[in-house]
Protein backbone atom coordinates (compact mmCIF):
# COMPACT_ATOMS: atom_id res chain seq x y z
CA UNK A 1 0.00 0.00 0.00
CA UNK A 2 2.88 2.29 0.86
CA UNK A 3 4.42 1.45 -2.48
CA UNK A 4 1.21 2.36 -4.22
CA UNK A 5 1.14 5.76 -2.55
CA UNK A 6 4.78 6.31 -3.40
CA UNK A 7 4.10 5.40 -6.97
CA UNK A 8 1.08 7.68 -7.07
CA UNK A 9 3.04 10.51 -5.54
CA UNK A 10 5.81 9.97 -8.04
CA UNK A 11 3.33 10.17 -10.94
CA UNK A 12 1.79 13.30 -9.46
CA UNK A 13 5.17 14.93 -9.09
CA UNK A 14 6.04 13.95 -12.67
CA UNK A 15 2.74 15.32 -13.88
CA UNK A 16 3.24 18.61 -12.05
CA UNK A 17 6.75 18.85 -13.40
CA UNK A 18 5.46 18.21 -16.94
CA UNK A 19 2.83 20.86 -16.51
CA UNK A 20 5.34 23.41 -15.23
CA UNK A 21 7.78 22.56 -17.98
CA UNK A 22 5.01 22.78 -20.65
CA UNK A 23 3.92 26.14 -19.26
CA UNK A 24 7.42 27.47 -19.49
CA UNK A 25 7.76 26.28 -23.07
CA UNK A 26 4.35 27.78 -23.99
CA UNK A 27 5.25 31.12 -22.43
CA UNK A 28 8.50 31.22 -24.41
CA UNK A 29 6.67 30.36 -27.68
CA UNK A 30 3.91 32.90 -27.04
CA UNK A 31 6.43 35.64 -26.29
CA UNK A 32 8.35 34.85 -29.44
CA UNK A 33 5.11 34.92 -31.53
CA UNK A 34 4.09 38.14 -29.81
CA UNK A 35 7.47 39.68 -30.65
CA UNK A 36 7.16 38.56 -34.29
CA UNK A 37 3.64 39.93 -34.55
CA UNK A 38 4.68 43.19 -33.01
CA UNK A 39 7.61 43.54 -35.41
CA UNK A 40 5.38 42.77 -38.42
CA UNK A 41 2.77 45.23 -37.21
CA UNK A 42 5.45 47.88 -36.75
CA UNK A 43 6.76 47.22 -40.25
CA UNK A 44 3.22 47.43 -41.71
CA UNK A 45 2.62 50.68 -39.82
CA UNK A 46 5.90 52.08 -41.12
CA UNK A 47 5.06 51.03 -44.70
CA UNK A 48 1.58 52.51 -44.36
CA UNK A 49 3.00 55.75 -43.07
CA UNK A 50 5.45 55.91 -45.99
CA UNK A 51 2.74 55.19 -48.62
CA UNK A 52 0.37 57.63 -46.92
CA UNK A 53 3.06 60.27 -47.01
CA UNK A 54 3.72 59.67 -50.72
CA UNK A 55 -0.05 59.68 -51.47
CA UNK A 56 -0.37 62.87 -49.46
CA UNK A 57 2.43 64.47 -51.44
CA UNK A 58 0.83 63.33 -54.79
CA UNK A 59 -2.57 64.71 -53.78
CA UNK A 60 -0.96 67.98 -52.67
CA UNK A 61 0.84 68.22 -56.05
CA UNK A 62 -2.36 67.43 -57.98
CA UNK A 63 -4.27 70.01 -55.94
CA UNK A 64 -1.59 72.61 -56.63
CA UNK A 65 -1.62 71.81 -60.39
CA UNK A 66 -5.41 71.98 -60.50
CA UNK A 67 -5.35 75.21 -58.55
CA UNK A 68 -2.78 76.72 -60.91
CA UNK A 69 -4.75 75.53 -63.99
CA UNK A 70 -8.02 76.94 -62.67
CA UNK A 71 -6.25 80.15 -61.73
CA UNK A 72 -4.82 80.51 -65.27
CA UNK A 73 -8.20 79.74 -66.86
CA UNK A 74 -9.89 82.22 -64.61
CA UNK A 75 -7.29 84.88 -65.41
CA UNK A 76 -7.61 84.17 -69.15
CA UNK A 77 -11.41 84.35 -68.98
CA UNK A 78 -11.19 87.53 -66.94
CA UNK A 79 -8.84 89.07 -69.51
CA UNK A 80 -11.22 88.15 -72.36
CA UNK A 81 -14.20 89.65 -70.57
CA UNK A 82 -12.16 92.70 -69.68
CA UNK A 83 -11.18 93.13 -73.36
CA UNK A 84 -14.81 92.72 -74.46
CA UNK A 85 -15.90 95.30 -71.92
CA UNK A 86 -13.23 97.70 -73.10
CA UNK A 87 -14.26 97.13 -76.76
CA UNK A 88 -17.92 97.75 -75.91
CA UNK A 89 -16.99 100.89 -74.01
CA UNK A 90 -15.07 102.16 -77.03
CA UNK A 91 -18.03 101.38 -79.33
CA UNK A 92 -20.39 103.18 -76.99
CA UNK A 93 -18.11 106.21 -76.93
CA UNK A 94 -17.92 106.17 -80.75
CA UNK A 95 -21.72 105.91 -81.02
CA UNK A 96 -22.16 108.77 -78.59
CA UNK A 97 -19.78 110.88 -80.65
CA UNK A 98 -21.61 109.88 -83.88
CA UNK A 99 -24.99 110.72 -82.32
CA UNK A 100 -23.73 114.10 -81.15
CA UNK A 101 -22.40 114.80 -84.65
CA UNK A 102 -25.74 113.77 -86.19
CA UNK A 103 -27.60 116.07 -83.83
CA UNK A 104 -25.35 118.95 -84.79
CA UNK A 105 -25.90 118.21 -88.49
CA UNK A 106 -29.69 118.06 -87.96
CA UNK A 107 -29.59 121.43 -86.22
CA UNK A 108 -27.65 122.92 -89.14
CA UNK A 109 -30.11 121.38 -91.65
CA UNK A 110 -33.07 122.76 -89.73
CA UNK A 111 -31.52 126.20 -89.87
CA UNK A 112 -30.87 125.78 -93.62
CA UNK A 113 -34.47 124.61 -94.19
CA UNK A 114 -35.81 127.62 -92.33
CA UNK A 115 -33.75 129.94 -94.50
CA UNK A 116 -34.76 128.05 -97.68
CA UNK A 117 -38.41 128.23 -96.64
CA UNK A 118 -38.17 131.98 -96.34
CA UNK A 119 -36.46 132.26 -99.74
CA UNK A 120 -39.06 129.95 -101.31
CA UNK A 121 -41.89 132.12 -100.03
CA UNK A 122 -40.28 135.17 -101.55
CA UNK A 123 -39.66 133.38 -104.87
CA UNK A 124 -43.27 132.14 -104.94
CA UNK A 125 -44.58 135.66 -104.59
CA UNK A 126 -42.22 136.86 -107.33
CA UNK A 127 -43.28 133.96 -109.63
CA UNK A 128 -46.97 134.76 -109.10
CA UNK A 129 -46.37 138.38 -110.08
CA UNK A 130 -44.39 137.30 -113.17
CA UNK A 131 -47.13 134.80 -114.15
CA UNK A 132 -49.72 137.58 -114.06
CA UNK A 133 -47.48 139.79 -116.18
CA UNK A 134 -46.86 136.91 -118.67
CA UNK A 135 -50.59 136.23 -119.00
CA UNK A 136 -51.22 139.90 -119.72
CA UNK A 137 -48.44 139.94 -122.34
CA UNK A 138 -49.73 136.68 -123.90
CA UNK A 139 -53.21 138.11 -124.14
CA UNK A 140 -51.85 141.22 -125.82
CA UNK A 141 -49.78 139.15 -128.28
CA UNK A 142 -52.80 136.93 -129.12
CA UNK A 143 -54.88 140.03 -129.79
CA UNK A 144 -52.18 141.46 -132.06
CA UNK A 145 -51.80 138.13 -133.91
CA UNK A 146 -55.55 137.90 -134.48
CA UNK A 147 -55.50 141.40 -135.95
CA UNK A 148 -52.52 140.57 -138.20
CA UNK A 149 -53.72 137.10 -139.37
CA UNK A 150 -57.40 137.92 -139.50
CA UNK A 151 -57.94 134.59 -137.59
CA UNK A 152 -59.21 133.84 -134.18
CA UNK A 153 -57.26 131.66 -131.78
CA UNK A 154 -59.67 128.73 -132.28
CA UNK A 155 -59.33 128.89 -136.08
CA UNK A 156 -55.54 128.98 -135.83
CA UNK A 157 -55.64 126.03 -133.43
CA UNK A 158 -57.77 124.03 -135.87
CA UNK A 159 -55.39 124.73 -138.77
CA UNK A 160 -52.43 123.71 -136.60
CA UNK A 161 -54.20 120.50 -135.54
CA UNK A 162 -54.98 119.64 -139.18
CA UNK A 163 -51.39 120.19 -140.18
CA UNK A 164 -50.11 118.06 -137.30
CA UNK A 165 -52.67 115.36 -138.09
CA UNK A 166 -51.54 115.09 -141.72
CA UNK A 167 -47.90 114.94 -140.67
CA UNK A 168 -48.71 112.31 -138.04
CA UNK A 169 -50.61 110.17 -140.56
CA UNK A 170 -47.66 110.29 -142.96
CA UNK A 171 -45.21 109.32 -140.24
CA UNK A 172 -47.59 106.63 -138.97
CA UNK A 173 -47.89 105.09 -142.42
CA UNK A 174 -44.11 104.88 -142.83
CA UNK A 175 -43.78 103.56 -139.28
CA UNK A 176 -46.45 100.90 -139.89
CA UNK A 177 -44.67 99.81 -143.04
CA UNK A 178 -41.33 99.47 -141.27
CA UNK A 179 -43.02 97.65 -138.37
CA UNK A 180 -44.74 95.26 -140.78
CA UNK A 181 -41.46 94.45 -142.52
CA UNK A 182 -39.69 94.00 -139.19
CA UNK A 183 -42.54 91.83 -137.88
CA UNK A 184 -42.40 89.68 -140.99
CA UNK A 185 -38.68 89.12 -140.57
CA UNK A 186 -39.07 88.50 -136.85
CA UNK A 187 -41.94 86.07 -137.42
CA UNK A 188 -39.85 84.11 -139.94
CA UNK A 189 -36.92 83.95 -137.53
CA UNK A 190 -39.13 82.93 -134.61
CA UNK A 191 -40.86 80.24 -136.69
CA UNK A 192 -37.52 78.81 -137.76
CA UNK A 193 -36.27 78.97 -134.18
CA UNK A 194 -39.34 77.10 -132.91
CA UNK A 195 -38.95 74.39 -135.55
CA UNK A 196 -35.21 73.99 -134.87
CA UNK A 197 -35.71 73.91 -131.10
CA UNK A 198 -38.48 71.36 -131.53
CA UNK A 199 -36.30 69.08 -133.66
CA UNK A 200 -33.34 69.43 -131.29
CA UNK A 201 -35.42 68.66 -128.19
CA UNK A 202 -37.11 65.64 -129.76
CA UNK A 203 -35.19 62.40 -130.05
CA UNK A 204 -36.54 59.05 -131.19
CA UNK A 205 -35.20 55.74 -132.36
CA UNK A 206 -35.84 55.05 -136.03
CA UNK A 207 -36.46 51.51 -137.25
CA UNK A 208 -36.61 50.50 -140.91
CA UNK A 209 -38.44 47.38 -141.92
CA UNK A 210 -38.94 45.81 -145.35
CA UNK A 211 -41.04 43.02 -146.79
CA UNK A 212 -38.63 40.20 -145.97
CA UNK A 213 -37.63 38.62 -142.66
CA UNK A 214 -34.73 36.20 -142.24
CA UNK A 215 -34.99 33.27 -139.83
CA UNK A 216 -31.55 31.99 -138.81
CA UNK A 217 -31.01 28.30 -138.07
CA UNK A 218 -28.09 26.42 -136.53
CA UNK A 219 -27.57 23.95 -139.37
CA UNK A 220 -29.11 23.11 -142.71
CA UNK A 221 -30.47 19.75 -141.52
CA UNK A 222 -33.43 21.58 -139.99
CA UNK A 223 -34.52 22.74 -143.46
CA UNK A 224 -35.61 19.19 -144.32
CA UNK A 225 -37.76 18.97 -141.18
CA UNK A 226 -39.39 22.32 -141.97
CA UNK A 227 -40.16 21.26 -145.54
CA UNK A 228 -41.50 17.85 -144.43
CA UNK A 229 -42.41 14.83 -146.46
CA UNK A 230 -43.45 15.98 -149.94
CA UNK A 231 -43.50 19.58 -148.59
CA UNK A 232 -46.55 19.10 -146.35
CA UNK A 233 -45.03 20.95 -143.36
CA UNK A 234 -44.06 24.07 -145.30
CA UNK A 235 -47.46 24.12 -147.07
CA UNK A 236 -49.25 23.88 -143.72
CA UNK A 237 -47.11 26.67 -142.31
CA UNK A 238 -47.74 28.94 -145.31
CA UNK A 239 -51.48 28.23 -145.18
CA UNK A 240 -51.66 28.96 -141.44
CA UNK A 241 -49.61 32.18 -141.51
CA UNK A 242 -50.39 33.63 -144.95
CA UNK A 243 -46.76 34.25 -145.92
CA UNK A 244 -44.31 32.71 -148.37
CA UNK A 245 -41.47 30.69 -146.86
CA UNK A 246 -38.42 30.42 -149.13
CA UNK A 247 -36.03 27.57 -148.36
CA UNK A 248 -33.10 27.83 -150.78
CA UNK A 249 -29.34 27.33 -150.76
CA UNK A 250 -28.73 30.25 -148.41
CA UNK A 251 -26.62 28.75 -145.60
CA UNK A 252 -28.22 28.64 -142.15
CA UNK A 253 -31.13 30.91 -143.12
CA UNK A 254 -34.76 30.70 -144.18
CA UNK A 255 -36.43 33.71 -145.85
CA UNK A 256 -39.96 34.71 -144.84
CA UNK A 257 -41.64 36.93 -147.44
CA UNK A 258 -44.89 38.87 -147.02
CA UNK A 259 -46.24 42.41 -147.21
CA UNK A 260 -47.87 42.19 -143.76
CA UNK A 261 -45.27 42.55 -140.96
CA UNK A 262 -47.65 40.99 -138.42
CA UNK A 263 -47.93 37.82 -140.47
CA UNK A 264 -44.16 37.70 -140.96
CA UNK A 265 -43.62 38.07 -137.21
CA UNK A 266 -46.15 35.29 -136.48
CA UNK A 267 -44.39 33.02 -138.98
CA UNK A 268 -40.93 33.81 -137.55
CA UNK A 269 -41.96 33.15 -133.94
CA UNK A 270 -43.84 29.99 -134.93
CA UNK A 271 -40.76 28.67 -136.75
CA UNK A 272 -38.62 29.47 -133.73
CA UNK A 273 -40.92 27.52 -131.38
CA UNK A 274 -41.24 24.57 -133.77
CA UNK A 275 -37.48 24.31 -134.21
CA UNK A 276 -36.91 24.47 -130.47
CA UNK A 277 -39.59 21.85 -129.79
CA UNK A 278 -38.41 19.53 -132.59
CA UNK A 279 -41.92 18.20 -133.29
CA UNK A 280 -42.83 19.55 -136.74
CA UNK A 281 -45.99 18.22 -138.37
CA UNK A 282 -49.17 19.89 -139.71
CA UNK A 283 -51.25 19.48 -136.53
CA UNK A 284 -48.45 20.82 -134.34
CA UNK A 285 -47.87 23.69 -136.81
CA UNK A 286 -51.52 24.82 -136.61
CA UNK A 287 -51.45 24.64 -132.80
CA UNK A 288 -48.22 26.68 -132.53
CA UNK A 289 -49.39 29.30 -135.06
CA UNK A 290 -52.68 29.77 -133.15
CA UNK A 291 -50.82 30.29 -129.86
CA UNK A 292 -48.34 32.64 -131.50
CA UNK A 293 -51.11 34.70 -133.09
CA UNK A 294 -52.75 35.05 -129.68
CA UNK A 295 -49.41 36.11 -128.14
CA UNK A 296 -48.87 38.67 -130.90
CA UNK A 297 -52.31 40.16 -130.30
CA UNK A 298 -51.51 40.45 -126.59
CA UNK A 299 -48.17 42.00 -127.46
CA UNK A 300 -49.89 44.53 -129.75
CA UNK A 301 -52.15 45.62 -126.88
CA UNK A 302 -49.15 45.81 -124.54
CA UNK A 303 -47.19 47.93 -127.05
CA UNK A 304 -50.14 50.30 -127.42
CA UNK A 305 -50.56 50.65 -123.66
CA UNK A 306 -46.84 51.20 -123.13
CA UNK A 307 -46.78 53.83 -125.88
CA UNK A 308 -49.65 55.88 -124.46
CA UNK A 309 -48.12 55.64 -120.97
CA UNK A 310 -44.71 56.76 -122.24
CA UNK A 311 -46.23 59.74 -124.04
CA UNK A 312 -48.61 60.63 -121.20
CA UNK A 313 -51.74 60.33 -123.36
CA UNK A 314 -54.64 59.19 -121.19
CA UNK A 315 -58.27 58.24 -121.71
CA UNK A 316 -57.93 56.59 -125.14
CA UNK A 317 -60.48 54.01 -126.18
CA UNK A 318 -59.13 50.42 -125.98
CA UNK A 319 -59.62 49.94 -129.74
CA UNK A 320 -57.49 53.02 -130.43
CA UNK A 321 -54.83 51.70 -128.04
CA UNK A 322 -54.86 48.39 -129.93
CA UNK A 323 -54.49 50.18 -133.26
CA UNK A 324 -51.54 52.15 -131.88
CA UNK A 325 -49.86 48.87 -130.96
CA UNK A 326 -50.54 47.56 -134.48
CA UNK A 327 -48.54 50.53 -135.83
CA UNK A 328 -45.39 48.79 -134.57
CA UNK A 329 -45.78 46.28 -137.41
CA UNK A 330 -46.55 48.81 -140.17
CA UNK A 331 -44.20 50.98 -142.20
CA UNK A 332 -44.59 53.87 -144.60
CA UNK A 333 -41.87 54.37 -147.23
CA UNK A 334 -39.59 52.26 -145.01
CA UNK A 335 -40.30 54.39 -141.90
CA UNK A 336 -41.80 52.50 -138.96
CA UNK A 337 -45.30 53.89 -138.43
CA UNK A 338 -45.23 53.74 -134.62
CA UNK A 339 -41.86 55.49 -134.43
CA UNK A 340 -43.15 58.10 -136.90
CA UNK A 341 -46.31 58.69 -134.85
CA UNK A 342 -44.34 58.94 -131.58
CA UNK A 343 -41.96 61.40 -133.20
CA UNK A 344 -44.82 63.52 -134.58
CA UNK A 345 -46.51 63.49 -131.14
CA UNK A 346 -43.36 64.76 -129.42
CA UNK A 347 -42.76 67.38 -132.11
CA UNK A 348 -46.36 68.59 -131.83
CA UNK A 349 -46.20 68.83 -128.04
CA UNK A 350 -42.95 70.78 -128.13
CA UNK A 351 -44.12 73.13 -130.86
CA UNK A 352 -47.50 73.72 -129.20
CA UNK A 353 -45.83 74.53 -125.87
CA UNK A 354 -43.50 76.97 -127.67
CA UNK A 355 -46.56 78.66 -129.20
CA UNK A 356 -48.50 78.70 -125.92
CA UNK A 357 -51.14 76.17 -127.08
CA UNK A 358 -52.53 72.99 -125.50
CA UNK A 359 -49.52 70.66 -125.65
CA UNK A 360 -51.43 67.56 -124.43
CA UNK A 361 -54.10 67.93 -127.12
CA UNK A 362 -51.45 68.44 -129.81
CA UNK A 363 -49.55 65.34 -128.62
CA UNK A 364 -52.78 63.30 -128.72
CA UNK A 365 -53.55 64.41 -132.28
CA UNK A 366 -49.95 63.76 -133.38
CA UNK A 367 -50.06 60.21 -132.03
CA UNK A 368 -53.39 59.43 -133.75
CA UNK A 369 -52.85 61.28 -137.06
CA UNK A 370 -52.04 58.09 -139.06
CA UNK A 371 -54.44 55.79 -137.20
CA UNK A 372 -56.36 55.21 -140.47
CA UNK A 373 -53.40 53.26 -141.92
CA UNK A 374 -53.83 50.35 -139.48
CA UNK A 375 -57.59 49.78 -139.84
CA UNK A 376 -58.03 46.04 -140.35
CA UNK A 377 -60.78 46.36 -142.98
CA UNK A 378 -60.32 47.46 -146.56
CA UNK A 379 -61.54 50.98 -147.28
CA UNK A 380 -61.48 53.26 -150.32
CA UNK A 381 -61.30 56.37 -148.12
CA UNK A 382 -57.94 58.16 -147.70
CA UNK A 383 -56.25 57.20 -144.45
CA UNK A 384 -56.64 60.75 -143.06
CA UNK A 385 -60.42 60.77 -143.49
CA UNK A 386 -60.67 57.17 -142.27
CA UNK A 387 -58.65 58.11 -139.18
CA UNK A 388 -60.94 61.09 -138.56
CA UNK A 389 -64.01 58.83 -138.75
CA UNK A 390 -62.44 56.35 -136.33
CA UNK A 391 -61.59 59.18 -133.92
CA UNK A 392 -65.17 60.44 -134.08
CA UNK A 393 -66.45 56.90 -133.55
CA UNK A 394 -64.42 56.55 -130.35
CA UNK A 395 -65.47 59.98 -128.99
CA UNK A 396 -62.22 61.92 -129.47
CA UNK A 397 -62.01 65.70 -129.12
CA UNK A 398 -63.35 67.57 -132.23
CA UNK A 399 -60.05 69.45 -132.56
CA UNK A 400 -58.17 66.14 -132.62
CA UNK A 401 -60.56 64.76 -135.25
CA UNK A 402 -60.11 67.83 -137.45
CA UNK A 403 -56.32 67.67 -137.11
CA UNK A 404 -56.33 63.99 -138.17
CA UNK A 405 -58.57 64.61 -141.17
CA UNK A 406 -56.82 67.79 -142.34
CA UNK A 407 -53.18 66.75 -142.11
CA UNK A 408 -53.16 65.97 -145.86
CA UNK A 409 -55.57 68.83 -146.81
CA UNK A 410 -58.52 66.48 -147.48
CA UNK A 411 -60.74 68.76 -145.37
CA UNK A 412 -60.59 72.36 -144.21
CA UNK A 413 -58.61 73.13 -141.06
CA UNK A 414 -60.88 74.43 -138.29
CA UNK A 415 -58.54 73.92 -135.32
CA UNK A 416 -55.37 75.82 -134.48
CA UNK A 417 -53.49 72.56 -133.85
CA UNK A 418 -54.29 71.17 -137.34
CA UNK A 419 -51.48 73.04 -139.15
CA UNK A 420 -49.07 72.03 -136.35
CA UNK A 421 -49.88 68.34 -137.01
CA UNK A 422 -49.34 68.87 -140.73
CA UNK A 423 -46.01 70.62 -140.23
CA UNK A 424 -44.70 68.05 -137.74
CA UNK A 425 -45.79 65.20 -140.01
CA UNK A 426 -43.78 66.79 -142.82
CA UNK A 427 -40.77 67.32 -140.54
CA UNK A 428 -40.75 63.69 -139.40
CA UNK A 429 -41.29 62.28 -142.88
CA UNK A 430 -38.89 64.51 -144.81
CA UNK A 431 -35.86 64.53 -142.53
CA UNK A 432 -32.79 62.79 -144.02
CA UNK A 433 -32.86 59.04 -143.44
CA UNK A 434 -36.47 58.91 -142.28
CA UNK A 435 -37.90 57.20 -145.33
CA UNK A 436 -36.50 55.01 -148.07
CA UNK A 437 -36.94 55.39 -151.75
CA UNK A 438 -36.36 52.81 -154.41
CA UNK A 439 -32.89 53.24 -155.90
CA UNK A 440 -34.29 53.70 -159.41
CA UNK A 441 -36.74 56.42 -158.41
CA UNK A 442 -34.07 58.13 -156.29
CA UNK A 443 -31.56 58.22 -159.16
CA UNK A 444 -34.28 59.35 -161.57
CA UNK A 445 -35.20 62.24 -159.29
CA UNK A 446 -31.57 63.37 -159.14
CA UNK A 447 -31.21 63.18 -162.90
CA UNK A 448 -34.45 65.11 -163.39
CA UNK A 449 -33.17 67.82 -161.06
CA UNK A 450 -29.92 68.19 -162.98
CA UNK A 451 -31.62 68.14 -166.40
CA UNK A 452 -34.20 70.71 -165.25
CA UNK A 453 -31.45 73.11 -164.12
CA UNK A 454 -29.34 72.65 -167.27
CA UNK A 455 -32.36 73.51 -169.45
CA UNK A 456 -31.95 77.20 -168.55
CA UNK A 457 -29.90 79.43 -170.84
CA UNK A 458 -26.42 80.26 -169.61
CA UNK A 459 -26.06 77.17 -167.37
CA UNK A 460 -22.72 75.44 -167.95
CA UNK A 461 -22.80 72.60 -165.41
CA UNK A 462 -25.18 71.34 -162.72
CA UNK A 463 -24.61 68.95 -159.82
CA UNK A 464 -27.18 67.47 -157.42
CA UNK A 465 -25.55 66.99 -153.99
CA UNK A 466 -26.56 66.15 -150.40
CA UNK A 467 -28.91 63.37 -151.50
CA UNK A 468 -30.79 65.72 -153.81
CA UNK A 469 -31.37 68.44 -151.21
CA UNK A 470 -29.05 70.95 -152.91
CA UNK A 471 -28.28 71.83 -156.52
CA UNK A 472 -25.12 73.69 -157.46
CA UNK A 473 -25.44 75.44 -160.79
CA UNK A 474 -22.29 76.75 -162.51
CA UNK A 475 -23.04 79.43 -165.10
CA UNK A 476 -21.02 80.99 -167.89
CA UNK A 477 -19.60 84.25 -166.50
CA UNK A 478 -19.50 85.92 -169.92
CA UNK A 479 -23.17 85.36 -170.72
CA UNK A 480 -24.70 85.60 -167.22
CA UNK A 481 -24.29 88.72 -165.06
CA UNK A 482 -24.55 88.86 -161.27
CA UNK A 483 -28.12 90.18 -161.42
CA UNK A 484 -29.10 87.50 -163.91
CA UNK A 485 -27.53 84.81 -161.70
CA UNK A 486 -29.75 85.92 -158.82
CA UNK A 487 -32.85 85.75 -161.05
CA UNK A 488 -31.71 82.38 -162.41
CA UNK A 489 -31.70 80.76 -158.93
CA UNK A 490 -35.22 82.07 -158.34
CA UNK A 491 -36.48 80.82 -161.74
CA UNK A 492 -34.99 77.34 -161.15
CA UNK A 493 -36.62 77.11 -157.71
CA UNK A 494 -40.01 78.09 -159.15
CA UNK A 495 -39.78 75.51 -161.93
CA UNK A 496 -38.77 72.76 -159.46
CA UNK A 497 -41.77 73.61 -157.26
CA UNK A 498 -44.15 73.40 -160.22
CA UNK A 499 -42.83 70.31 -162.03
CA UNK A 500 -41.31 68.01 -159.39
CA UNK A 501 -42.34 66.18 -156.23
CA UNK A 502 -39.76 65.89 -153.45
CA UNK A 503 -39.58 65.69 -149.65
CA UNK A 504 -38.48 68.71 -147.63
CA UNK A 505 -36.79 71.54 -149.51
CA UNK A 506 -34.10 71.91 -152.19
CA UNK A 507 -31.41 74.58 -152.02
CA UNK A 508 -30.38 76.13 -155.36
CA UNK A 509 -26.89 77.67 -155.40
CA UNK A 510 -25.81 79.52 -158.57
CA UNK A 511 -22.05 79.99 -158.89
CA UNK A 512 -20.65 82.62 -161.27
CA UNK A 513 -16.89 82.57 -161.47
CA UNK A 514 -14.86 84.96 -163.63
CA UNK A 515 -11.52 83.61 -164.82
CA UNK A 516 -8.85 85.54 -166.68
CA UNK A 517 -6.12 83.47 -168.33
CA UNK A 518 -2.88 84.79 -169.83
CA UNK A 519 0.38 83.15 -170.89
CA UNK A 520 3.88 84.46 -170.37
CA UNK A 521 6.11 83.48 -173.30
Amino acid sequence: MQDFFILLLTDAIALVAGIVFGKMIFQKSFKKAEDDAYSRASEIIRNAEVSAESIKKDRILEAKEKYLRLKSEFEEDSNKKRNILQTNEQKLKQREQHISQMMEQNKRRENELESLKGNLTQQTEIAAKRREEAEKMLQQQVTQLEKIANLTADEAREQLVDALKAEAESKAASYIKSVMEESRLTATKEAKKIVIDTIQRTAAEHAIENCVSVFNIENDDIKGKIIGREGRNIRALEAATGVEIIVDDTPEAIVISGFDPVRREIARLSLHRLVQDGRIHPARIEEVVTKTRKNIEDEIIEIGERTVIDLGVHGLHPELVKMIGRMRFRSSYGQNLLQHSREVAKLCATMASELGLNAKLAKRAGLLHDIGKVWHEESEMPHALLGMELAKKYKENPEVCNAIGAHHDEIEKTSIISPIIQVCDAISGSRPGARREMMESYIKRLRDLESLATSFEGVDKCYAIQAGREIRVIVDAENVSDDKASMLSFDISQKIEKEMQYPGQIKITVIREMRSVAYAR
Side-chain angles (χ1 to χ4, degrees), residues 217-414:
I217 56 179
E218 294 181 357
N219 55 67
D220 291 339
D221 295 338
I222 301 175
K223 291 182 179 180
K225 293 182 180 181
I226 293 174
I227 294 172
R229 182 179 297 178
E230 298 178 356
R232 62 178 184 176
N233 289 344
I234 195 170
R235 285 198 301 271
L237 189 58
E238 288 178 345
T241 57
V243 299
E244 181 181 3
I245 298 175
I246 303 171
V247 182
D248 53 13
D249 296 334
T250 305
E252 299 180 355
I254 294 173
V255 178
I256 303 170
S257 176
F259 72 93
D260 191 338
V262 178
R263 295 179 185 174
R264 292 204 312 272
E265 185 67 11
I266 292 172
R268 188 186 68 82
L269 293 176
S270 300
L271 272 174
H272 179 71
R273 292 179 179 177
L274 288 169
V275 170
Q276 278 189 336
D277 185 30
R279 295 177 297 164
I280 305 176
H281 52 83
R284 177 63 179 165
I285 289 171
E286 292 179 0
E287 180 184 353
V288 169
V289 168
T290 303
K291 290 182 179 179
T292 306
R293 184 176 287 110
K294 179 64 171 60
N295 293 337
I296 288 290
E297 290 177 357
D298 295 339
E299 183 181 357
I300 286 172
I301 296 173
E302 183 182 354
I303 291 171
E305 292 174 348
R306 188 166 58 247
T307 301
V308 297
I309 290 172
D310 290 344
L311 293 176
V313 178
H314 305 290
L316 282 177
H317 193 276
E319 285 297 325
L320 291 178
V321 174
K322 188 175 181 180
M323 283 189 275
I324 290 171
R326 199 176 288 126
M327 288 181 181
R328 168 65 180 80
F329 301 97
R330 294 288 187 273
S331 61
S332 177
Y333 298 97
Q335 185 181 25
N336 183 269
L337 190 58
L338 180 59
Q339 290 297 109
H340 168 65
S341 298
R342 289 172 64 98
E343 187 177 82
V344 171
K346 293 178 181 179
L347 286 168
C348 292
T350 309
M351 192 172 290
S353 63
E354 290 288 339
L355 296 173
L357 302 176
N358 190 337
K360 291 185 178 180
L361 203 64
K363 184 187 291 185
R364 194 183 192 95
L367 179 62
L368 298 175
H369 80 284
D370 274 343
I371 203 73
K373 289 184 177 181
V374 292
W375 182 240
H376 57 277
E377 297 179 3
E378 293 292 332
S379 176
E380 296 180 357
M381 295 175 63
H383 75 275
L385 297 181
L386 179 59
M388 181 183 69
E389 295 298 326
L390 290 172
K392 288 180 179 178
K393 177 182 178 182
Y394 297 116
K395 311 298 181 184
E396 281 296 316
N397 190 294
E399 294 186 13
V400 174
C401 297
N402 180 258
I404 295 171
H407 79 276
H408 284 313
D409 293 325
E410 276 89 359
I411 61 172
E412 183 181 357
K413 300 179 183 68
T414 60

Side-chain angles (χ1 to χ4, degrees), residues 29-46:
S29 302
F30 179 77
K31 187 175 182 181
K32 185 178 180 181
E34 184 179 4
D35 293 337
D36 292 339
Y38 180 78
S39 63
R40 284 200 300 273
S42 300
E43 186 179 356
I44 291 169
I45 290 169
R46 284 197 302 272

